[in-house]
Structure formats: C-alpha cells, structure tokens
Amino acid sequence: MAEITIYSAVVCPFAHRSRLVLLEKGIDFDLVEIDLQNKPANFTDISPYSKVPVIKHGNERVWESAIINEYLDEVFPQPSLLPKDAISKAQARIWIDFANTRFVPAFSSLLRSLDSQKQKEAAQELEQHLRFIENEALAKLSDNGPYWFGEAISLVDLTFYPWFERWAAIEQYRGFKLPAELTRIQKWWDAVSQRESVKAIANSPKFYLERYARFAPLPFKKVSEELSSAGQITPEQLQQAAKQGFQSVLNLRSPDEQGFFNDEQQHAQAAGLNYANIPINPAQANQELVEKAIWEIDNLPKPILVHCAAGARATAIALIANASQQQLTPEEIKLKAQELGLNLDQPHLKQFLQQN
C-alpha cells in the first residue's frame, strides 16, 4: 500500500494541484476519487470541511491544497519545489496567496456568475491580475527561464496551472481570452503544459467544456427589454433563467411534440418562475392561439422567456407581442425580424404582417 492516500475529484482544480505535486515528486500514492455530487456518507470523517483534496499520511490527515503541497515538499524534500533562500521562499508564498485570494476568485466569479454586470467586473479584475503576473512575477522573477522562478518548476507554477488547463471554459462560455501581449504568461503556460506530470493527468478542453456546460449562456434572443425567445430549454437552464432575472416562462410547445418535457412546469416553479403553456403549431398559423399567447405575455410577470422547439415560433410570437404593444409599423417589424434572424415566411409572423 502506498504511503500517501489522496482524496480527489477530477473536476476540482484544487485537488489537481496536489496530484501534480505528488507526480512531480515521484511520490507513490493511492487515489480515491470522490463524486462531489454524491459524497460518501462518512466523508466528513476524512475531510472535516467535506472538500477535496485531503491526504492521509500514516495516521495523519492534511487538508487544504496549499497546505498539503507545502507539507509534501517538507516531508518529501527531493526534488524541492520551493526556493532555498528566505526572500525567494517568501515571494513564492506571496504568489501562492495571490492565486488563492485574487486570481482564483476572479476566475471563478467570471465563470460561475450568471449576471452580465458581475461577469464584466470579474473579467476586468481577472485581466488586471494577469497583467500583474506578467509584469511583477514572470518579468522579474523568472529571468529567461520558462517557470515562475526560472529554470526549475515550483509550487507556484503548480498552484496556478489547473485554472489554465480549464481556460477553454471561460473562453467558450464568457468570451475571455488571454491577451495576446502577455507573452511571458503564454511561454510559461506552454512550458508547464509539457511537463510529464501535467500530461499524465491532463484532460482535454472538450472535457472541461462538458463539465462546465451548466455555465453556458442561455441561448436566447432578446426581442425587447421584457421579452426573450429560445428553443427548448433544460431544467438546468430554467434555473439559470431564474438567476438571470427572468420572472416567467411561456412554453409554446404541444405535449405531443417530440422532446416535450412533461415536468417542465414543475421545474420552472421550483426555480421560482411563473409558467404557462400555449401549444401553437409551428407550421400552421392559428389566430386564436396566438391571441391566447399574447394575453399570457401581457399578464405574466416580466421579463418573460418564450420558448419552443427551435426558437422560430417563440421569436415570432415575442416579436408580435412587442410590435402590438409598441405599435410598430410593418417596416419596423420587418427590420426587427431581420435583426433577430427570423424568416418573414414564419407562418405566425406572416399572418400578422398580412393583417397589418
């Protein structure tokens, strides 16, 4: 049996740090993977905070990744992952603290926040931190070497790297890219990613995109300040819609349509959303049902997310409701339809235009 047991979770960047340290030091270890959504009943007996990572070393336990990593470096001193001289060691600890208290919270806030203003603020903060790393760390401490402290990998490099492996998530879901002029960070990123320890447990961008898909922006079109449209949305996206400030959901699908969620109303109400279902045929205009849908839009608390299977009829009904309320001219309606990518031959919109 290995001397060290680590309780980890593949999706957790904090656990990722400590696994990298174990691999860099060549420490034999047993890995216990924890399902963070379904933790063992006795997990608090192992992890008092009920979090990963935790290591067991003989009869002792150590938790919190930064503390685990220093413990491992002290107990298994070769190869050393902290500088030897006092000032460099202090600088290493400063940058580990910077990761924990500034860089990681900004990254996490950008990815996890569903509020657009908070995302904007987090993106600005994260960029400031990246520029600070470029100019105050890598430009001053690494000399011409690829790592934080030059030619040798350190705990600082391993502390930051897991979030860079997950970068695809904030790039895909938040449109945040590493600024091209931050060449020292890019050089560092490239070098760390090629370490054998990193490659041994690396996951692909696709892996992280799938794991963080719940943070993907809702695929809706904003028709007005009060109305947005979308295709079929999932229970998770209903939760997102509520968090983004929507008050109501209007479903235009028929229960006999393929892919209709029979429990959508329950999920919507569990998320705190008002809910209505008006089954409008996507291919055949029905004035009576359109009027019922408009009535629901007039009376449901706003803002409202109107959805259907692919989004076309939802966009059309939302546009008709907005046009009726704002008394838009046919030309203004056509222009708005063009902005929304809505075909003027969409049956309900076409009928509405013919009547006006």
Side-chain angles (χ1 to χ4, degrees):
M1 187 175 72
E3 191 172 355
I4 295 287
T5 298
I6 182 168
Y7 296 82
S8 179
V10 68
V11 76
C12 176
F14 296 97
H16 192 171
R17 288 172 164 178
S18 295
R19 289 172 65 200
L20 288 174
V21 170
L22 288 164
L23 290 167
E24 279 290 337
K25 286 186 161 289
I27 301 169
D28 188 27
F29 64 93
D30 289 327
L31 174 65
V32 179
E33 184 72 13
I34 300 296
D35 181 352
L36 297 178
Q37 304 304 314
N38 187 27
K39 298 173 188 175
N42 65 339
F43 189 52
T44 53
D45 295 340
I46 300 162
S47 173
Y49 296 169
S50 194
K51 298 192 303 184
V52 293
V54 176
I55 64 166
K56 287 180 68 176
H57 185 197
N59 293 323
E60 302 297 335
R61 293 172 300 155
V62 184
W63 55 94
E64 292 295 317
S65 61
I67 297 170
I68 289 171
N69 292 352
E70 280 216 43
Y71 174 84
L72 291 171
D73 197 53
E74 186 171 345
V75 175
F76 301 90
Q78 299 301 324
S80 176
L81 293 176
L82 279 175
K84 295 300 183 185
D85 63 285
I87 187 60
S88 295
K89 190 175 292 185
Q91 289 169 334
R93 288 174 173 142
I94 286 169
W95 285 109
I96 291 169
D97 180 75
F98 182 88
N100 292 340
T101 62
R102 297 175 184 267
F103 177 82
V104 170
F107 185 105
S108 181
S109 180
L110 176 58
L111 178 60
R112 294 173 182 275
S113 177
L114 298 175
D115 180 89
S116 59
Q117 181 59 36
K118 290 182 180 178
Q119 289 175 15
K120 182 179 179 181
E121 292 169 358
Q124 292 172 343
E125 184 179 353
L126 182 58
E127 183 172 339
Q128 289 174 358
H129 295 336
L130 289 166
R131 293 187 184 281
F132 190 71
I133 291 169
E134 176 87 1
N135 298 317
E136 293 297 322
L138 298 177
K140 293 182 178 180
L141 299 177
S142 66
D143 195 18
N144 290 321
Y147 304 117
W148 220 271
F149 287 95
E151 297 298 330
I153 193 84
S154 75
L155 289 184
V156 181
D157 303 290
L158 304 179
T159 291
F160 279 89
Y161 180 77
W163 282 266
F164 285 83
E165 187 168 294
R166 290 156 176 77
W167 206 269
I170 59 169
E171 188 168 311
Q172 176 73 22
Y173 298 141
R174 298 295 180 260
F176 188 95
K177 296 184 178 182
L178 181 71
E181 63 271 22
L182 302 186
T183 56
R184 298 300 293 260
I185 291 181
Q186 188 63 65
K187 177 183 176 182
W188 166 85
W189 187 352
D190 292 342
V192 179
S193 68
Q194 293 306 307
R195 301 283 300 185
E196 289 303 317
S197 63
V198 171
K199 291 194 290 185
I201 59 173
N203 290 299
S204 68
K206 182 175 181 290
F207 173 89
Y208 291 114
L209 291 178
E210 290 174 351
R211 293 309 185 277
Y212 294 115
R214 65 188 184 279
F215 300 119
L218 276 174
F220 64 75
K221 294 181 179 181
K222 191 172 184 178
V223 178
S224 70
E225 289 301 317
E226 295 186 336
L227 292 173
S228 295
S229 64
Q232 179 60 55
I233 54 180
T234 65
E236 292 76 17
Q237 288 173 326
L238 286 169
Q239 293 283 346
Q240 281 187 269
K243 290 178 181 178
Q244 290 188 16
F246 286 99
Q247 297 294 311
S248 305
V249 170
L250 173 59
N251 179 6
L252 302 182
R253 305 193 70 189
S254 170
D256 60 7
E257 281 186 55
Q258 185 176 3
F260 182 91
F261 289 167
N262 291 319
D263 58 353
E264 181 173 291
Q265 181 170 359
Q266 290 91 325
H267 283 291
Q269 291 173 341
L273 295 163
N274 295 277
Y275 182 85
N277 176 214
I278 304 296
I280 293 180
N281 189 311
Q284 184 177 355
N286 184 313
Q287 184 62 29
E288 181 181 354
L289 289 178
V290 169
E291 289 175 358
K292 286 184 179 180
I294 301 300
W295 186 91
E296 292 288 358
I297 289 171
D298 286 342
N299 288 277
L300 284 168
K302 298 174 179 61
I304 304 169
L305 182 59
V306 186
H307 87 84
C308 59
R313 87 191 102 148
T315 304
I317 297 302
L319 177 55
I320 291 168
N322 184 56
S324 300
Q325 184 182 39
Q326 300 297 323
Q327 297 184 330
L328 301 181
T329 67
E331 287 306 313
E332 288 173 329
I333 296 169
K334 291 176 183 178
L335 181 60
K336 185 66 176 178
Q338 185 177 13
E339 291 175 0
L340 294 167
L342 182 63
N343 194 318
L344 294 176
D345 286 332
Q346 201 284 332
H348 310 92
L349 180 61
K350 183 176 181 180
Q351 182 186 63
F352 181 75
L353 287 169
Q354 288 172 345
Q355 294 171 345
N356 290 271

